[in-house]
């Protein structure tokens, strides 16, 4: 067979189905859109679910994609075998109610035999045991002999997801790799567990609807969903034994070997680590490019786990220093032709992964110390098994996979409670599943919008006008579609054309009025709902409105302008951040409304005061320059040539909207904007904070919001001026003077308090009792904070020379406790930590400490006298033990 590269095979496949009138679409991002059943896209059909169900109209009835996917169900086996991986590309051709079995099978056979030129004698087909229709196509249309059409059961050849939804039989194409890959069993054939017969293309005929009661009914719209793993196909065509030998993946594998100074195939343990790193660096690179950030939850946890596994295996191979950034370049170089986002985000990807790698290097050292402490404690207590909760904490918090913990314990003759660890892990997985929601086919609960006509879409015309007239096509509430709505009713209004902007891209939805001849409704929000529709969230405030009536839709102009000011300012802000802070800055989210703007961006430390000043000044400079804002629609490739910034993880069509602010800022954006930056008025940063690992947030105001902010600050300055009795221009000097005076008074106060404490201490020493040669002083001194109490305890201890002191103080609503002992008292059995532990429990607190010093806090001052008795009893018992 011809030896095609992986990239050649991808292109051949997509071009072939383009020739069959399929729309060729770019891969969707790995982060699912409007699907809470998935953390990450795991199949070619996953992003296309709405088209299969008919809830949304596809851009074309035939589509073809090469979809990037991640599956982590077998993550523990990645590396241990040459078959398992987490990242892969899925080739697929899809029909949404267009062609069906005959075309799907014929085209698959044509591509495999005519274009790939795979020998017919090495090919087999399987069909579902009850799908005689597919079997007849293989035999009569394709010409496969009976013995090459194999019937399989439901487990192998029937596809369904979840408890309900579209499903159907499958037909799979197998390749005979040759007897050298077989098991030598006389029964060896398609379906055998050995490596001889390899399934490489699955054709799913979605023709039934499964119901929750387990019954099936035919679908009105029959669909085709095929999937073929690109890496598996490449391995087959290149005549290699595993995906790790495929050209693009082998390039990464060889780079790993070069960094480690080892040779692949010589040592199984090394090969495991090489395969882990090779696979995982592909996954985390693509995840980073789609905006996933390492974290301890959800898809961020998946990314962190993969990255940390790669780093740990690098350590096992002896790779020193930060190495991920070197491998990222190899991943990008081998995949950037199809996935241009890898090259676009290269600087950001390397920065993100390097920071996480560096952090983990520090974390793993702390984890090793914690595990060592556990081992020391186990040996001291005679234990041989580390409990599951401790194992899970090491894994979850410090990135120690259970096998690493087990390995280190084994070296010490100890074991890990792997069953207990599994219980903790299952609990976390269940928590993650609960957070994602149910497992319905669409991955989202059905709403009233699912009942609306799927062919109806809303066209937004509000870029150019704020008022239109149209027919009220759909009225609804949360439960049902309506014919009419009366005064006070809260409803959704859906029409085919609207000037109201629906919330998207971080911009809030428009507000305004809907007016008919019989009533009026106030729109409080506008949102995008399923199937490309806009829902106007409204309440009828006058009369009533009816479906089919003519209505005037009027956007609230002042709010739209304020929102547009904030939106245009975010574009200037992003550009200024990249100029002042660095080119790695990427938008990680935004939220703009009439009151303020919030901009999240990728950065790994707090911005300095000087950086914030520069950013703010640069944005205001561009506002004052009065840059003309131009907006054009153009092909996405043309937009890229202009250097237009795109949003992380956003799926763009072939035609995009480019917002250009005087050639200073060029971004892809579907939001509403001003015509000139001067209309922003002014820009003021309110705050800069961290919101997640590697993500910072700036909040700011513009226009009228900024004027309100400045007025509020002016009012505050007036109040301060009046309080300190100084002119506004002299407030700073006056406050500085008062601060110095206050510090001097505080010093004087501390001095007086120390003198009073010393005086009290002198009197208190006379109250000390002597027990077994040790002076014991237990006393209550109110209105002393913990610091003053400790100072007095030190003074009393020094005066007693051989003694133990316990002081209690009731201050505000708290009880402060301090115990101190001299070395001679400790030698005779005094333990302050134990004394405090016993006493704190009486006053409703907790505490402890060392033998010579301990402290605690309590809440119940009414029990102080009882606590004094407990203290005296405890000390007496220690000294007479």
């Amino acid at each position: 067979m011809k030896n095609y590269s992986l990239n050649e095979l991808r292109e051949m496949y997509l071009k072939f189905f383009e020739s069959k009138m399929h729309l060729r679409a770019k891969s969707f991002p790995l982060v699912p859109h409007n699907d809470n059943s998935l953390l990450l896209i795991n199949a070619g059909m996953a992003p296309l679910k709405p088209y299969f169900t008919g809830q949304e109209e596809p851009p074309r009835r035939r589509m073809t994609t090469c979809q990037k996917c991640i599956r982590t169900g077998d993550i523990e086996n990645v590396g241990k075998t040459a078959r398992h991986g987490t990242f892969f590309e899925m080739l697929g051709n899809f029909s949404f109610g267009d062609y069906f079995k005959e075309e799907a099978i014929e085209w698959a056979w044509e591509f495999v035999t005519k274009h790939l030129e795979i020998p017919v004698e090495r090919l087999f087909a399987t069909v579902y045991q009850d799908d005689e229709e597919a079997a007849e196509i293989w035999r009569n249309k394709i010409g496969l002999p009976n013995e090459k059409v194999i019937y399989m059961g439901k487990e192998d050849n029937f596809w369904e997801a979840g408890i309900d939804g579209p499903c159907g039989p499958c037909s799979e194409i197998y390749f005979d790799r040759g007897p050298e890959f077989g098991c030598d069993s006389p029964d060896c054939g398609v379906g055998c567990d050995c490596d001889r017969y390899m399934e490489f293309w699955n054709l799913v005929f979605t023709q039934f609807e499964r119901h929750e009661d387990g019954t099936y009914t035919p679908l009105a719209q029959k669909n085709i969903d095929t999937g073929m793993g690109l890496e598996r196909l490449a391995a087959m065509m290149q005549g290699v034994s595993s995906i790790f030998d495929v050209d693009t993946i082998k390039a990464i594998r060889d780079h790993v070997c070069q960094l480690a100074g080892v040779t692949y195939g010589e040592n199984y343990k090394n090969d495991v680590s090489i395969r882990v790193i090779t696979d995982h660096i592909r996954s985390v690179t693509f995840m980073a490019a789609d905006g996933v950030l390492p974290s301890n939850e959800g898809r961020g946890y998946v990314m962190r786990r993969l990255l940390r596994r790669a780093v740990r295996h690098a350590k096992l191979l002896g790779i020193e220093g930060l190495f991920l950034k070197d491998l990222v370049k190899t991943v990008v170089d081998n995949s950037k032709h199809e996935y241009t986002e890898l090259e676009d985000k290269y600087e950001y990807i390397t920065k993100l992964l390097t920071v996480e790698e560096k952090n983990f290097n520090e974390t793993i050292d702390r984890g090793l110390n914690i595990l060592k402490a556990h081992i020391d404690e186990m040996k001291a207590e005679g234990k041989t098994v580390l409990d599951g909760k401790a194992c899970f904490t090491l894994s979850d918090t410090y990135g120690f996979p259970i096998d690493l913990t087990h390995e280190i314990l084994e070296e010490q003759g100890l074991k890990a409670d792997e069953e207990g660890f599994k219980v903790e892990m299952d609990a976390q997985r269940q928590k993650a599943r609960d957070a994602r929601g149910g497992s319905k086919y669409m991955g989202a609960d059905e709403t009233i919008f699912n009942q609306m006509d799927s062919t109806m879409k809303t066209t937004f015309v509000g870029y150019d006008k704020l008022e239109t007239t149209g027919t009220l096509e759909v009225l609804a509430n949360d439960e049902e579609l309506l014919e009419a709505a009366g005064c006070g009713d809260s409803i959704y209004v859906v029409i085919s054309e609207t000037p109201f902007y629906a919330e998207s891209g971080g911009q809030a939805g428009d507000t305004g009025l809907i007016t008919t001849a019989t009533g009026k409704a106030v729109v409080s929000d506008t949102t995008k709902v399923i199937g490309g529709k806009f829902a106007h969230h409204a309440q009828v405030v006058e009369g009533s409105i009816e479906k089919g009536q003519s209505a005037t839709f009027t956007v609230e102009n002042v709010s739209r302008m304020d929102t547009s000011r904030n939106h245009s300012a975010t574009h200037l802000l992003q550009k200024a951040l990249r100029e002042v802070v660095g080119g790695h800055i990427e938008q990680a989210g935004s939220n703009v409304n009439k009151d303020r703007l919030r901009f999240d961006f990728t950065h790994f430390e707090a911005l300095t005061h000087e950086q914030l000043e520069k950013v703010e000044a640069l944005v205001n400079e561009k506002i004052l320059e009065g840059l003309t804002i131009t907006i054009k629609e153009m092909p996405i490739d043309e937009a890229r040539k202009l250097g237009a910034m795109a949003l992380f993880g956003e799926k763009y069509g072939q035609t995009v909207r480019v917002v250009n602010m005087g050639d200073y800022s060029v971004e892809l954006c579907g939001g509403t904007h001003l015509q000139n930056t001067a209309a922003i008025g002014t820009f003021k940063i309110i705050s800069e904070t961290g919101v997640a690992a590697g993500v910072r947030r700036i909040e700011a105001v513009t226009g009228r919001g900024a004027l309100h902010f400045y007025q509020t600050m002016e009012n505050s300055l007036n109040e301060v001026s009046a309080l300190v009795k100084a002119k506004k221009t002299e407030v700073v000097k006056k406050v500085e003077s008062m601060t110095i005076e206050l510090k001097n008074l505080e010093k004087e106060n501390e001095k007086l308090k120390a003198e009073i404490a010393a005086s009290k201490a002198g009197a208190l020493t006379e109250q000390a009792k002597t027990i077994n040669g040790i002076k014991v002083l237990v006393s209550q001194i109110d209105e002393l904070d913990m610091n003053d109490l400790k100072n007095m305890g030190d003074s009393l201890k020094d005066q007693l020379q051989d003694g133990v002191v316990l002081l209690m103080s009731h201050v505000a609503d708290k009880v402060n406790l301090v115990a101190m002992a001299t070395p001679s008292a400790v030698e005779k059995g005094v333990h302050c930590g134990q004394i405090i532990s016993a006493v704190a429990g009486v006053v409703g607190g907790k505490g402890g400490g060392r033998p010579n010093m301990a402290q605690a806090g309590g809440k119940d001052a009414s029990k102080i006298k009882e606590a004094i008795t407990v203290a005296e009893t405890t000390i007496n018992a220690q000294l007479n033990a």
Side-chain angles (χ1 to χ4, degrees), residues 617-636:
L618 188 50
V619 172
N620 279 307
E621 179 184 313
K622 296 305 172 184
I623 292 171
L624 292 172
E625 286 180 14
L627 303 176
T628 299
I629 299 174
T630 58
I631 300 171
K632 294 180 181 178
E633 288 193 350
M634 62 182 70
I636 191 166

Side-chain angles (χ1 to χ4, degrees), residues 809-827:
S809 180
H810 177 206
V811 54
D813 295 327
K814 296 191 303 182
V815 177
N816 293 325
L817 306 171
V818 168
M820 294 183 176
T822 61
S824 55
V826 173
E827 286 179 11

Side-chain angles (χ1 to χ4, degrees), residues 559-609:
S559 295
R560 166 71 82 83
M561 280 296 293
D562 287 342
T563 301
S564 296
R565 285 188 181 97
N566 286 324
H567 198 160
S568 293
T570 61
H571 285 224
L572 296 177
L573 172 59
Q574 176 166 218
K575 180 65 174 179
L577 282 167
R578 289 173 67 85
E579 286 192 8
V580 173
V581 182
H584 65 279
I585 295 286
E586 295 281 355
Q587 180 174 334
S590 71
N591 184 283
V592 294
N593 56 34
K594 63 185 178 64
D595 299 316
R596 54 106 181 97
L597 68 89
R598 190 184 75 207
F599 186 76
D600 295 347
F601 57 98
T602 54
H603 190 53
F604 307 93
E605 59 188 0
L607 267 62
T608 65
H609 179 70

Side-chain angles (χ1 to χ4, degrees), residues 31-38 41 46-47 49-50 55-56 299 441-445 447 450 528-531:
V31 178
H33 177 66
N34 193 33
D35 186 347
N36 59 19
S37 70
L38 295 174
I41 293 298
K49 288 179 183 178
Q55 291 172 351
E56 290 189 26
R299 62 184 64 94
Y441 177 71
M442 269 303 296
D445 292 333
T447 68
N450 294 87
K528 288 184 178 180
V529 295
I530 195 165

Side-chain angles (χ1 to χ4, degrees), residues 27-28 31 51 57 73 156 162 179 213 248 259 269 307 312 353 355 381 457 474 598 616 625 667 728 756 791 803:
S27 172
F28 290 79
V31 178
Y51 304 150
E57 278 289 302
D156 295 301
D213 62 3
T248 56
L259 292 173
K269 196 171 181 181
L307 189 147
R312 183 178 77 83
L353 299 188
V355 168
E381 296 175 2
K457 294 187 186 322
V474 180
R598 190 184 75 207
E616 185 175 282
E625 286 180 14
E667 289 191 37
K728 287 189 286 188
I756 291 170
N791 288 336

Side-chain angles (χ1 to χ4, degrees), residues 67-243:
Q67 176 63 45
K68 46 194 173 184
C69 304
I70 284 184
R71 291 180 186 171
T72 56
D74 290 324
I75 190 172
E76 297 300 338
N77 287 321
V78 174
K80 294 178 182 176
T81 74
R83 295 193 307 274
H84 289 90
T86 58
F87 178 85
F88 63 98
E89 298 178 58
M90 181 71 81
L91 297 166
N93 56 285
F94 311 97
S95 166
F96 312 111
D98 186 18
Y99 62 85
F100 200 47
K101 293 182 186 179
E102 187 169 324
E103 293 91 339
I105 291 173
E106 286 182 345
W107 290 338
W109 190 253
E110 180 183 347
F111 180 71
V112 167
T113 60
K114 304 297 184 186
H115 291 261
L116 296 182
E117 299 181 41
I118 297 175
V120 172
E121 62 271 16
R122 299 181 70 175
L123 294 171
F124 295 79
T126 64
V127 296
Y128 176 50
Q129 60 191 17
D130 296 334
D131 190 5
E132 198 58 42
E133 180 186 5
E136 285 300 312
I137 294 170
W138 280 113
R139 285 193 292 257
N140 298 333
K141 293 284 185 180
I142 302 303
L144 273 185
N146 286 339
E147 65 272 15
K148 286 206 165 192
V149 181
I150 295 97
Y151 291 90
M152 304 282 269
K154 190 171 186 179
E155 183 178 338
D156 295 301
N157 275 61
F158 195 93
W159 180 89
E160 53 191 349
I163 56 174
D164 61 357
C167 57
C170 309
S171 183
E172 298 178 326
I173 304 176
Y174 279 77
F175 174 72
D176 180 1
R177 302 174 71 192
E180 64 272 24
F181 290 92
C183 57
D184 296 327
S185 167
D187 298 325
C188 183
V190 171
C192 183
D193 288 335
C194 72
D195 291 333
R196 176 170 177 174
Y197 297 94
M198 182 173 75
E199 178 268 314
F200 66 95
W201 200 345
N202 186 12
L203 316 178
V204 180
F205 313 127
T206 313
Q207 62 187 100
F208 299 113
E209 177 87 19
R210 177 191 164 110
H211 305 284
E212 291 191 23
D213 62 3
T215 61
Y216 298 85
T217 55
L219 280 173
Q221 174 181 295
K222 294 182 171 118
N223 305 312
I224 289 294
D225 159 26
T226 85
M228 177 162 57
L230 178 57
E231 290 85 354
R232 181 178 290 194
L233 175 65
M236 191 173 85
M237 297 304 298
Q238 293 173 21
V240 296
S241 59
S242 86
I243 61 172

